[in-house]
Amino acid sequence: MHAFTLFMTTSIALLATPADAQSETSANQAQLCLLCHRPDHPQYKEVPLLEAQPAAYLYRQLQAYRDGTRHDPTYVMRTNVATLADEVMRELSVYLSDRELPTVAHR
């Protein structure tokens, strides 16, 4: 449990920069997302890939997690996006939508 707490604390610190003092680039912030949203994740079938998804769709999903209108049984997503400003969510969404979908190896 200690490792999970450390992971979540680090995760929140990486994403929760104030909107008026964004020191992290979208690319750096997206790296936290891509820790779980990747083809080789152990729970891949339950964790969707984000690259090449429409930016508007990604933005709406981030808003829904943050606002609690999208169900999140683990609270990982809601916790990670809890303090994200709308502008940061828009920038992340555009960055991820502009990336190519990674090649997925068949298991």
Side-chain angles (χ1 to χ4, degrees):
M1 188 57 116
H2 177 63
F4 180 74
T5 303
L6 179 61
F7 170 76
M8 292 308 298
T9 302
T10 304
S11 299
I12 293 168
L14 285 173
L15 284 179
T17 56
D20 60 343
Q22 290 293 325
S23 62
E24 304 257 339
T25 64
S26 294
N28 288 336
Q29 291 172 329
Q31 294 310 304
L32 176 62
C33 305
L34 299 175
L35 288 173
C36 294
H37 293 273
R38 63 180 204 262
D40 61 344
H41 191 276
Q43 297 174 349
Y44 170 67
K45 292 180 182 179
E46 297 177 20
V47 180
L49 297 177
L50 302 176
E51 295 94 333
Q53 297 283 349
Y57 170 78
L58 292 172
Y59 176 68
R60 284 191 307 271
Q61 300 317 303
L62 289 171
Q63 280 185 312
Y65 277 123
R66 183 190 62 191
D67 300 340
T69 57
R70 180 166 177 173
H71 182 64
D72 183 14
T74 64
Y75 292 97
V76 172
M77 284 300 302
R78 186 157 187 202
T79 301
N80 283 341
V81 300
T83 60
L84 289 182
D86 285 337
E87 185 60 30
V88 173
M89 290 191 301
R90 280 197 236 6
E91 290 170 5
L92 279 171
S93 299
V94 169
Y95 173 79
L96 290 166
S97 72
D98 287 344
R99 292 178 51 101
E100 288 186 29
L101 193 62
T103 302
V104 179
H106 296 284
R107 295 182 184 198

